[in-house]
């Protein structure tokens, strides 16, 4: 086991920095969650919010996929919507989130307030301390937040299909929408700084609703507010920006987001991303999560295709191109991890 001071040597963190490594690191989005029988067992006895807020439970759930699989990073068990509760929005998870009120226009903006992470999300320090204690420095820990546009889409639209209300708000009153994004960005900076202060090794911004915007609107709103968050974070902690955004036009807009790593949507190819972002840009992704509910041969072939497409370049982290489906058989995840680990050794990837 490594001590925390050895953290920079981890393959995951080296890959975030684009440094040459002998092995492709792997972790998967939603790796702690309902596809794991041990998660479902704990969920029978505790609510989702208890798992997020009670240090021992959060540590247990965050560590579950690390205990079972040879993943190269843990992701803090939380939800992107929890800071909104700290801004005064009542939220229930059922398991889909239900928000107590919505933001429909500029008159609603003053319903939101952020009084600092210590007041708004007081659980975050103790849970991170407990998770670190539990992980014993075995793997680095990723903290995260929702990107401002995705948080806004939940506040305005409950993230319903195609975000008609969010996009209408933006078209009707771009100035008020920009204020909403700034307010969310500033709260997110403070929240992520608290996570970094408590000891996470990297942070990730999830922009899973951004792909509903046209590439130019994506660039003006989602990407620029994500960039505002990234600029507000201390240097030295790698930051990953994951926009679930399906087109080459969206990829081009990503060039203005200065994240250490760009997470890739499963609907773009690694080759397209490399061509547009350059080989020096570290990327993460992007196997279609649906592959993992299919037959083993398909899992091996699709994972190897992603690895082959990367061609051994440094600055690559294997992941899915969106979160794992809850009905994924655990043995398929094992097969995926084995495939990525085997490929490392047999292909002799070098920097
Ligand atoms: O393992 C991990 O990745 C860490 C934990 C994590 C959760 N949510 C736990 C969770 C992370 C990183 C998230 C991010 C998140 N949450 C996103 C962005 C990424 C994505 O998948 O699009 C979004 C949009 C949310 C909002 C959210 N939270 C939704 C839409 C839902 C319900 C829908 C669903 O997936 O069932 C949640 C609840 C939630 N968050 C669960 C988990 C494990 C299920 C809760 C339960 O156990 O009942």
């Amino acid at each position: 086991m490594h001590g925390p001071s050895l953290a920079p040597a981890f393959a995951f963190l080296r890959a975030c920095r684009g440094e040459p490594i002998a092995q492709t690191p792997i972790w998967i989005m939603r790796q702690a969650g309902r596809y794991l029988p041990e998660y479902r067992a704990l969920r029978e006895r505790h609510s989702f919010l208890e798992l997020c807020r009670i240090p021992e439970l959060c540590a247990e759930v965050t560590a579950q996929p690390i205990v079972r699989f040879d993943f190269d990073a843990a992701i803090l068990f939380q939800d992107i919507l929890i800071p909104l509760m700290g801004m005064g929005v009542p939220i229930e998870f059922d398991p889909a989130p239900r928000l107590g009120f919505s933001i429909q226009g500029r008159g609603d903006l003053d319903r939101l307030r952020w009084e600092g992470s210590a007041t708004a999300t007081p659980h975050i320090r103790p849970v991170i301390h407990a998770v670190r204690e539990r992980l014993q420095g075995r793997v680095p820990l990723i903290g995260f937040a929702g990107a401002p546009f995705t948080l806004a889409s939940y506040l305005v639209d409950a993230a319903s299909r195609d975000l008609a209300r969010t996009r209408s708000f933006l078209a009707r009153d771009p100035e008020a929408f920009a204020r909403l994004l700034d307010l969310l960005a500033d709260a997110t900076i403070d929240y992520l700084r608290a996570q970094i202060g408590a000891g996470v090794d990297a942070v990730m911004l999830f922009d899973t609703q951004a792909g509903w915007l046209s590439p130019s609107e994506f660039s003006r709103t989602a990407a620029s507010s994500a960039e505002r968050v990234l600029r507000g974070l201390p240097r030295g902690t790698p930051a990953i920006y994951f926009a679930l955004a399906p087109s080459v036009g969206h990829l081009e807009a990503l060039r203005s987001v200065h994240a250490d790593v760009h997470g890739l949507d499963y609907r773009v190819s690694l080759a397209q991303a490399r061509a547009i972002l350059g080989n020096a840009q570290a990327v993460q992704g992007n196997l279609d999560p649906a592959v993992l509910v299919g037959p083993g041969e398909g899992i091996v072939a699709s994972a190897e295709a992603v690895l082959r497409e990367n061609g051994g370049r440094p600055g690559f982290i294997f992941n899915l191109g969106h979160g794992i489906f809850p009905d994924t058989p655990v043995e398929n995840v094992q097969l995926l991890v084995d495939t990525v680990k085997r490929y490392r050794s047999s292909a002799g990837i070098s920097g």
Side-chain angles (χ1 to χ4, degrees):
M1 295 226 179
H2 310 265
S5 60
L6 291 180
F10 286 125
F12 167 77
L13 294 173
R14 291 188 59 106
C16 287
R17 299 188 171 105
E19 294 167 9
I21 36 170
Q23 337 174 293
T24 298
I26 175 173
W27 70 279
I28 64 180
M29 289 187 273
R30 295 276 176 106
Q31 65 187 17
R34 285 161 295 173
Y35 77 102
L36 284 177
E38 55 271 35
Y39 174 84
R40 294 194 301 268
L42 207 56
R43 258 304 259 117
E44 271 174 28
R45 289 184 281 125
H46 300 281
S47 72
F48 174 64
L49 285 174
E50 283 173 339
L51 300 185
C52 293
R53 284 174 174 157
I54 299 172
E56 300 68 38
L57 294 176
C58 179
E60 176 65 22
V61 177
T62 301
Q64 280 176 346
I66 304 303
V67 170
R68 188 188 266 269
F69 305 110
D70 194 8
F71 285 135
D72 293 284
I75 182 161
L76 185 65
F77 192 82
Q78 288 295 313
D79 195 81
I80 62 164
L81 302 178
I82 287 177
L84 297 183
M85 301 175 80
M87 298 182 91
V89 186
I91 302 180
E92 278 173 31
F93 290 88
D94 188 18
R98 272 206 314 268
L99 280 67
F101 62 82
S102 72
I103 301 290
Q104 292 304 313
R106 61 170 62 209
D108 295 327
L109 294 186
D110 54 14
R111 300 185 80 171
L112 302 172
R113 56 170 192 281
W114 180 262
E115 288 161 1
S117 176
T119 308
T121 50
H123 67 287
I124 206 72
R125 272 193 156 271
V127 301
I128 290 171
H129 291 162
V131 169
R132 282 182 55 93
E133 179 74 28
R134 178 66 208 268
L135 293 175
Q136 291 280 301
R138 221 174 111 183
V139 287
L141 176 63
I142 305 167
F144 70 91
F149 178 79
T150 288
L151 294 179
S153 77
Y154 274 92
L155 287 169
V156 177
D157 241 321
S160 59
R161 222 190 74 80
D162 87 6
L163 304 187
R165 284 195 288 183
T166 305
R167 286 157 55 220
S168 301
F169 182 164
L170 180 54
R172 213 170 44 234
D173 194 350
E175 199 216 42
F177 198 83
R179 262 177 38 223
L180 173 60
L181 292 181
D182 284 353
L183 196 143
L184 292 167
D186 292 345
T188 302
I189 290 167
D190 185 62
Y191 177 59
L192 287 175
R193 290 183 85 99
Q195 293 188 26
I196 292 167
V200 301
D201 300 291
V203 293
M204 178 151 165
L205 267 185
F206 284 90
D207 221 348
T208 42
Q209 299 296 328
W212 290 110
L213 297 172
S214 69
S216 60
E217 198 61 88
F218 169 72
S219 175
R220 274 194 299 277
T221 58
S224 70
S225 60
E227 175 68 6
R228 180 183 173 109
V229 174
L230 295 171
R231 276 198 313 266
L233 299 179
R235 288 172 185 283
T237 302
I240 307 168
Y241 177 56
F242 172 60
L244 190 69
S247 78
V248 166
H250 293 102
L251 282 175
E252 276 162 1
L254 286 181
R255 282 196 293 223
S256 63
V257 182
H258 297 95
D260 297 277
V261 183
H262 280 297
L264 303 177
D265 186 308
Y266 63 94
R267 290 162 293 184
V268 297
S269 78
L270 208 50
Q272 283 171 325
R274 295 281 196 190
I276 292 165
L277 301 172
N279 281 336
Q281 171 66 58
V283 292
Q284 170 174 284
N286 71 340
L287 184 73
D288 182 347
V291 167
L292 289 182
V293 301
E297 310 83 78
I299 294 168
V300 172
S302 302
E304 286 183 351
V306 172
L307 289 159
R308 220 173 13 254
E309 205 174 353
N310 182 57
R313 289 181 189 84
F316 179 59
I317 299 156
F318 196 103
N319 205 313
L320 305 180
H322 196 186
I324 187 168
F325 295 170
D327 61 348
T328 305
V330 280
E331 54 278 17
N332 291 1
V333 177
Q334 186 64 58
L335 178 61
L336 173 67
V337 176
D338 290 345
T339 303
V340 174
K341 303 268 161 171
R342 240 195 333 267
Y343 193 86
R344 292 173 174 178
S345 44
S346 63
I349 294 169
S350 69

